[in-house]
Amino acid sequence: MKNNAKLKAATPGSQDDNVRDQGWTRPRVLVVLPFRSAALRYVKMLLSLLEDATEKVMIGHKKRFFDEFGADSSDDEEGKPQKPEDFQTLFSGNVDDNFKFGISIRRKSVRLFSEFYSSDIIVASPLGLRTVIGAEGDKKRDYDFLSSIEVVVVDQAEVLLMQNWEHVMHLFAHLNLKPRQLHGADITRVRMWTINEWSRLYRQVLIFSSLQTPEINSLMNRYSSNYAGRLNITQRNFPGFAEQVIGGVEQKFVRFQTESFLTEADTRFKYFTEEILPTLRKDTSGHIAIYVPSYFDFVRVRNHFKKEGVDFAQICEYTSHADMSRARTYFFHGQRRFLLFTERFYFFKRYRIRGMSQLVFYQLPTFGEYYSQLLNMVDGGAAAAASGLRGSGLALFSRFDVDRLSRTAGTQTCQRLLKSKSSMFTCDA
């Protein structure tokens, strides 16, 4: 506003570069969240900071916002109280992951659901923005409103990882690009570093996550390019969840050797199919569930099972509710000896897998607490109880699974397992 007054008082035809204080478009802050419930908490916090005890702030479309982002019927889902505490906390409220809206802030008013090009802050989910950004070749797509973003806040990145990480990468790839249209921008007021396409060097990126993963690290390394540098604050020591396994379940950790990260997936598959699976098939005394974090690995193992004629049921995040129930029933009653399921299925459903006498982790879980949660479900079923079988768990890992192993077994145990000459380690709950 001071620059506006300065320009009014300036001599006609004169040019002062000190008044260059704008970008191509108005939005400056982008907040990326996984669910509507998270957006609700964010807006409540923002409004509480903007409200002044002596001066009332007018809020536009407040009722509409609370109607659309408030609690939905999923909060009353039957059986939810029996699920783990972290699940109840994460999935409380409105868990729709397709939303986007702008926030316009003025001296005495805040307008929710403002049009993007009239907004100061954009709050959205990756999916919500993907529907606007579109893809190469789409007739109707728009990403110019992201051309002048100066601050990006990504909260609960670990949840976004379970949704669709490709949407997050696609979003970041379209930040601070040269706009296709001017959208009313005054070129004499646009900062020179914006015109020179250096905005990414001034952009601040804040990513918050309950855990560290290669995907999140890659996002930071690729798109956090601020000239002032980058700061990574992470937890170094983890107590682990192996000690939380109860019921006398035998735990085995098996390390396999791999040459590089690029060949790790192929080496893991080869080791599993040639060393682990034949042993599991020979032992016909119980039911075996196999936990596969990556959907691509799940498809690969599933196709191998079909090719080899393995008697198995399968559940993934794309399985219908009816097929999920059918697969779990077949497995529990012994009509299918193996059950293959993905991490994302467990993340979103958190169903109890009954009838397991052995649980195999094709790869250690992203979330360390899943290790103890799942192993505490191992009971073997009626057949195992009658024969006196003892439940067990087996986890495959390589030297590239340091983060997963630390969160699961604990930092000290992780270091011991990686340095040991032995490739198999056994402990009892």
Side-chain angles (χ1 to χ4, degrees):
M1 297 182 70
K2 291 182 180 179
N3 286 338
N4 289 340
K6 188 184 294 185
L7 285 173
K8 286 183 179 180
T11 304
S14 63
Q15 177 65 41
D16 184 0
D17 283 344
N18 291 326
V19 300
R20 290 185 176 273
D21 57 357
Q22 298 179 3
W24 294 116
T25 54
R26 180 172 171 177
R28 291 292 181 271
V29 179
L30 173 65
V31 181
V32 183
L33 301 169
F35 300 127
R36 286 179 181 255
S37 58
L40 177 65
R41 291 192 297 270
Y42 171 79
V43 171
K44 283 182 176 180
M45 179 184 66
L46 179 65
L47 295 180
S48 68
L49 294 174
L50 293 174
E51 288 177 346
D52 192 304
T54 60
E55 194 171 3
K56 186 176 180 180
V57 177
M58 300 297 295
I59 303 173
H61 300 298
K62 183 176 181 180
K63 183 179 184 303
R64 174 190 168 188
F65 176 78
F66 281 94
D67 287 343
E68 293 186 12
F69 286 77
D72 64 4
S73 58
S74 64
D75 287 344
D76 299 324
E77 181 184 337
E78 189 176 350
K80 202 170 185 178
Q82 283 73 44
K83 296 186 178 181
E85 184 179 352
D86 65 296
F87 179 88
Q88 297 185 53
T89 301
L90 178 61
F91 290 96
S92 62
N94 194 326
V95 294
D96 179 25
D97 64 349
N98 187 358
F99 64 90
K100 55 188 179 297
F101 62 93
I103 302 177
S104 173
I105 301 176
R106 298 186 179 277
R107 281 187 172 182
K108 298 182 181 180
S109 66
V110 176
R111 181 181 176 85
L112 303 173
F113 297 105
S114 56
E115 198 267 341
F116 279 176
Y117 289 98
S118 302
S119 302
D120 299 291
I121 303 173
I122 294 175
V123 182
S125 65
L127 176 59
L129 283 181
R130 182 62 186 262
T131 60
V132 180
I133 297 173
E136 193 70 35
D138 290 351
K139 291 183 178 179
K140 188 176 181 181
R141 59 186 309 222
D142 185 17
Y143 49 84
D144 287 354
F145 57 89
L146 299 173
S147 61
S148 299
I149 294 294
E150 296 179 4
V151 179
V152 182
V153 180
V154 179
D155 198 12
Q156 295 180 282
E158 76 282 1
V159 180
L160 301 179
L161 196 64
M162 292 292 105
Q163 292 178 338
N164 191 330
W165 192 249
E166 196 275 333
H167 291 337
V168 179
M169 299 296 290
H170 188 75
L171 158 65
F172 269 83
H174 288 81
L175 289 175
N176 301 122
L177 298 180
K178 189 175 181 179
R180 296 178 296 176
Q181 301 178 27
L182 285 178
H183 300 282
D186 183 354
I187 195 69
T188 64
R189 298 285 298 274
V190 178
R191 297 184 182 92
M192 289 306 300
W193 47 263
T194 300
I195 294 176
N196 292 330
E197 299 184 52
W198 295 341
S199 295
R200 62 183 180 84
L201 301 177
Y202 294 83
R203 182 179 67 222
Q204 298 182 59
V205 178
L206 294 87
I207 299 179
F208 300 94
S209 173
S210 64
L211 48 85
Q212 188 173 9
T213 70
E215 293 86 355
I216 296 175
N217 291 340
S218 175
L219 180 70
M220 284 293 291
N221 293 335
R222 187 171 181 179
Y223 293 110
S224 180
S225 307
N226 193 289
Y227 75 94
R230 181 169 62 239
L231 176 64
N232 184 13
I233 302 175
T234 183
Q235 183 178 348
R236 292 298 181 187
N237 294 305
F238 296 89
F241 290 88
E243 294 183 356
Q244 296 185 16
V245 178
I246 59 177
V249 176
E250 183 183 49
Q251 303 174 54
K252 294 181 181 179
F253 292 88
V254 179
R255 187 184 67 219
F256 63 93
Q257 300 297 329
T258 180
E259 295 298 325
S260 70
F261 181 77
L262 296 176
T263 60
E264 198 249 9
D266 293 334
T267 306
R268 183 186 301 272
F269 177 75
K270 182 178 180 181
Y271 187 87
F272 176 78
T273 54
E274 295 181 1
E275 302 293 334
I276 303 298
L277 185 58
T279 304
L280 297 177
R281 297 186 69 180
K282 288 179 182 178
D283 182 6
T284 59
S285 56
H287 304 163
I288 302 170
I290 302 174
Y291 176 95
V292 187
S294 167
Y295 179 74
F296 299 105
D297 287 334
F298 170 82
V299 172
R300 194 175 191 181
V301 174
R302 181 192 65 187
N303 292 343
H304 180 79
F305 274 24
K306 290 181 177 179
K307 180 181 177 181
E308 297 296 320
V310 178
D311 181 29
F312 77 105
Q314 57 176 307
I315 304 176
C316 70
E317 56 269 29
Y318 304 112
T319 306
S320 67
H321 182 75
D323 288 341
M324 285 183 186
S325 299
R326 188 177 299 110
R328 292 164 62 209
T329 301
Y330 284 168
F331 179 71
F332 176 66
H333 292 291
Q335 294 172 272
R336 298 290 185 273
R337 184 160 174 264
F338 287 88
L339 174 65
L340 198 63
F341 67 102
T342 63
E343 181 170 75
R344 289 179 67 194
F345 151 72
Y346 185 71
F347 176 85
F348 286 107
K349 297 299 182 181
R350 220 64 68 90
Y351 290 150
R352 180 175 180 82
I353 308 298
R354 299 184 302 160
M356 290 189 293
S357 61
Q358 186 173 0
L359 174 62
V360 176
F361 291 94
Y362 184 83
Q363 184 179 19
L364 288 166
T366 303
F367 301 86
E369 58 268 31
Y370 291 2
Y371 179 81
S372 57
Q373 287 178 11
L374 287 165
L375 279 181
N376 286 334
M377 297 179 191
V378 173
D379 55 19
S387 59
L389 287 176
R390 185 186 182 194
S392 64
L394 185 150
L396 288 177
F397 72 94
S398 73
R399 61 191 178 96
F400 297 106
D401 290 323
V402 175
D403 290 334
R404 292 172 182 261
L405 188 58
S406 293
R407 291 191 293 267
T408 301
T411 303
Q412 294 183 354
T413 303
C414 169
Q415 294 173 353
R416 189 170 67 251
L417 297 184
L418 291 173
K419 294 178 181 178
S420 175
K421 294 181 179 180
S422 175
S423 61
M424 182 173 291
F425 316 88
T426 303
C427 62
D428 294 332

